[in-house]
Amino acid sequence: MMPHPPITAPDPGALIPEAPVSRRWIAAFTLAWFGYWMASLVPLQLLLPSQFQALNPGDKVRDLAITNGVAGVVALVTLPVFGALCDRTISRFGRRRLWIAGGAFVGALAVALVGEQTSTGGVVLWWAVATAGASAMMGGLTAVIADRVPERQRGILSSAIYGPQALGVVIGIAAVTLFALQLRTAYQLLGIALVLCAIPFVWIHRERRGMRTPPLTLSAIASGLWVNPRRHPEFAWAFGSRTLVNLANSLGTCYMLFFLTDGLQLDSPEDALLIVTLVYLAAALAFTYLAGLYSDRTGRQRGVLIIAGLAQALAAALLVFAPSFVMAIIAAAFIGGGFGASMSVGQAVVTRVLPDAENRAKDLGIMNIGLVVPTTIAPLIAAILITTSGGYTLLFAATAVFALGGVWMITRLKSIR
């Protein structure tokens, strides 16, 4: 990377993609996200808890919380900083491709090394490195939508981000459990899968000509940590809504096993969790694509996002007023469908409210904080709420409040219809 003199008079049309991307490009983009989500979420939901159970059963909750907390801080810093660097990278390989490939390689290596650790400190360290790699890869992948994809395709391309999330979790966990993989082997296979899934997109993606490369300076990188909400209110409202929707989803799902075990006192909570999870994932996958397709064909996004947020709030309310296993299944469908629709259409909205076309990766890095950080702080918030006198009722009530807060922020956006 090296400084590049700014182009004083870029062609404005060069910053607005018009030509549609091909099905081949979309397929490779989807596969890259599939690998990303599988390598990121399967350890969080299965491998890390199992590893801490084996290393130090008495402190597994504390150790997992510390690991998530450190990863959250790493993501908070690296997402905008790597985004700013991505915008200013100059290489024959291309700026986005360089960060996607580099992030995938570093993330894969770090994930594999997590499985080699025999101490809590080692796990925390290498999972933090894996998080940094994931931030680099995410920064490049989200930026290419604004770079290459016309608005009429952004709904379905946003679906290509979040649809693979459900498939990645299911296939990854199923592979680990079905073949009874050892932790070390499971981590290694996830790392290999991450690289293999990223290669096709890195191979076929080419950046558009005429893209302006802003200068690489320390002040420019520092400014990448912040977007003034007074100057860019649309960006601020979209960021706030994204954060609250993700926090509501994380709060509503992160302690579902404990709710089925302690709240409902079911005889087979693990089997019940599998059913609830499959319903959630099926609804999320279906409405991710349906909502994205509707957004592309009609250009309407506000109504979809409002309904999606209300669906999440309704799911939480059902568990507050009528907690039961049947209601948990119904709630899973509502919160999964609402979350899937929110993510696909919300990502399309995000690309429309970016403050500066020259700093897309940096601004998307800030926006991605609202995607990543809520998943790391939700377990801590949930633990505090559950241990109070309110228990799971208070947890799901808070979930509904956060979802409604996201809906209110959507109503403040003026640039969508």
Side-chain angles (χ1 to χ4, degrees), residues 74-158:
V74 170
L76 186 66
V77 176
T78 56
L79 281 169
V81 170
F82 287 175
L85 290 172
C86 181
D87 287 325
R88 292 160 174 79
T89 298
I90 300 174
S91 76
R92 293 182 178 180
F93 195 62
R95 52 180 174 176
R96 309 307 190 202
R97 290 202 300 162
L98 183 65
W99 284 86
I100 294 169
F105 177 78
V106 171
L109 179 61
V111 165
L113 288 174
V114 171
E116 303 289 336
Q117 304 309 305
T118 57
S119 68
T120 298
V123 174
V124 172
L125 171 63
W126 285 109
W127 186 246
V129 176
T131 300
S135 295
M137 185 176 179
M138 174 180 276
L141 284 173
T142 52
V144 298
I145 295 182
D147 288 348
R148 285 289 310 276
V149 182
E151 287 194 5
R152 63 183 180 277
Q153 281 188 306
R154 288 184 181 178
I156 196 64
L157 258 296
S158 298

Side-chain angles (χ1 to χ4, degrees), residues 31-304:
L31 182 63
W33 278 106
F34 174 80
Y36 172 90
W37 290 122
M38 188 161 57
S40 299
L41 297 182
V42 173
L44 282 176
Q45 297 193 16
L46 178 62
L47 301 186
L48 286 172
S50 299
Q51 191 169 11
F52 285 129
Q53 171 69 30
L55 290 177
N56 191 2
D59 295 322
K60 61 182 180 181
V61 175
R62 180 205 66 186
D63 292 344
L64 184 59
I66 292 173
T67 303
N68 282 329
V70 172
V73 173
V74 170
L76 186 66
V77 176
T78 56
L79 281 169
V81 170
F82 287 175
L85 290 172
C86 181
D87 287 325
R88 292 160 174 79
T89 298
I90 300 174
S91 76
R92 293 182 178 180
F93 195 62
R95 52 180 174 176
R96 309 307 190 202
R97 290 202 300 162
L98 183 65
W99 284 86
I100 294 169
F105 177 78
V106 171
L109 179 61
V111 165
L113 288 174
V114 171
E116 303 289 336
Q117 304 309 305
T118 57
S119 68
T120 298
V123 174
V124 172
L125 171 63
W126 285 109
W127 186 246
V129 176
T131 300
S135 295
M137 185 176 179
M138 174 180 276
L141 284 173
T142 52
V144 298
I145 295 182
D147 288 348
R148 285 289 310 276
V149 182
E151 287 194 5
R152 63 183 180 277
Q153 281 188 306
R154 288 184 181 178
I156 196 64
L157 258 296
S158 298
S159 302
I161 297 177
Y162 300 105
Q165 181 176 359
L167 290 176
V169 173
V170 171
I171 293 176
I173 291 179
V176 172
T177 56
L178 181 63
F179 296 104
L181 299 178
Q182 295 182 352
L183 284 174
R184 180 180 181 183
T185 303
Y187 278 116
Q188 291 173 346
L189 290 179
L190 288 176
I192 293 171
L194 175 59
V195 173
L196 292 179
C197 289
I199 287 175
F201 184 76
V202 172
W203 180 263
I204 70 170
H205 174 68
R206 294 294 183 271
E207 295 185 16
R208 294 166 50 245
R209 297 181 180 274
M211 297 293 295
R212 176 172 175 172
T213 303
L216 176 60
T217 63
L218 184 60
S219 61
I221 302 302
S223 68
L225 298 173
W226 171 255
V227 170
N228 191 324
R230 291 182 178 274
R231 294 180 57 189
H232 306 286
E234 294 286 280
F235 183 90
W237 289 121
F239 174 82
S241 176
R242 185 183 185 88
T243 301
L244 292 182
V245 165
N246 277 284
L247 186 56
N249 179 74
S250 298
L251 287 176
T253 59
C254 67
Y255 277 93
M256 182 57 66
L257 177 60
F258 293 164
F259 169 68
L260 297 172
T261 303
D262 304 324
L264 299 183
Q265 298 182 348
L266 300 181
D267 293 333
S268 301
E270 292 83 5
D271 294 338
L273 178 63
L274 178 60
I275 296 173
V276 170
T277 302
L278 288 175
V279 171
Y280 170 91
L281 293 177
L285 185 61
F287 281 93
T288 293
Y289 285 102
L290 289 175
L293 186 61
Y294 175 83
S295 173
D296 285 343
R297 290 186 174 180
T298 67
R300 297 184 178 275
Q301 296 156 333
R302 186 191 306 275
V304 175

Side-chain angles (χ1 to χ4, degrees), residues 112 353 381 396:
V353 299
I381 297 174
F396 293 123

